[in-house]
Amino acid sequence: MLIAPKNAANTRFNIGIRTLQATSMTIHVHDTNGDELHTVTRSLPANYFQQFAVADLAGVAPGSNQLIVIEIESGSAIVYGASIENESGNGTLQIARRTTE
């Protein structure tokens, strides 16, 4: 689970994925009320690493403070979010954590 920057219009937001095995995942984007806005499924090979613009990975650019849930269906991966504020260049890092429902 990752949270989009509070000012999405002025911030670049990327998600990095490092797979340990071939991995299938479903990516859900939720608005600030928790309502699901978009869902997409991705499959990545084993021992793969890439940092994606969120819009490229999730199929939609998240708005401010929206929630990105990455559900690992099979395999395993390390997932993080990196954001850079365009004007100042300040960056933040989020490490996605396993959650339970």
Side-chain angles (χ1 to χ4, degrees):
M1 177 170 60
L2 300 167
I3 300 172
K6 67 180 178 179
N7 188 348
N10 294 323
T11 307
R12 298 184 308 276
F13 185 39
N14 298 314
I15 294 178
I17 300 174
R18 167 66 163 97
T19 63
L20 305 175
Q21 304 168 357
T23 302
S24 177
M25 63 186 70
T26 303
I27 302 159
H28 308 269
V29 179
H30 298 266
D31 67 15
T32 56
N33 294 319
D35 297 321
E36 189 168 83
L37 301 174
H38 189 76
T39 299
V40 66
T41 300
R42 301 280 187 224
S43 294
L44 300 172
N47 300 314
Y48 178 82
F49 172 74
Q50 185 168 343
Q51 183 169 295
F52 302 86
V54 176
D56 294 339
L57 180 66
V60 64
S64 298
N65 296 316
Q66 289 184 344
L67 184 65
I68 296 101
V69 176
I70 299 168
E71 183 179 356
I72 304 293
E73 305 291 343
S74 65
S76 60
I78 299 165
V79 180
Y80 67 88
S83 58
I84 302 291
E85 200 278 320
N86 291 331
E87 189 173 311
S88 69
N90 291 336
T92 60
L93 173 70
Q94 299 176 65
I95 305 297
R97 297 181 187 189
R98 182 175 296 195
T99 62
T100 58
E101 294 188 29

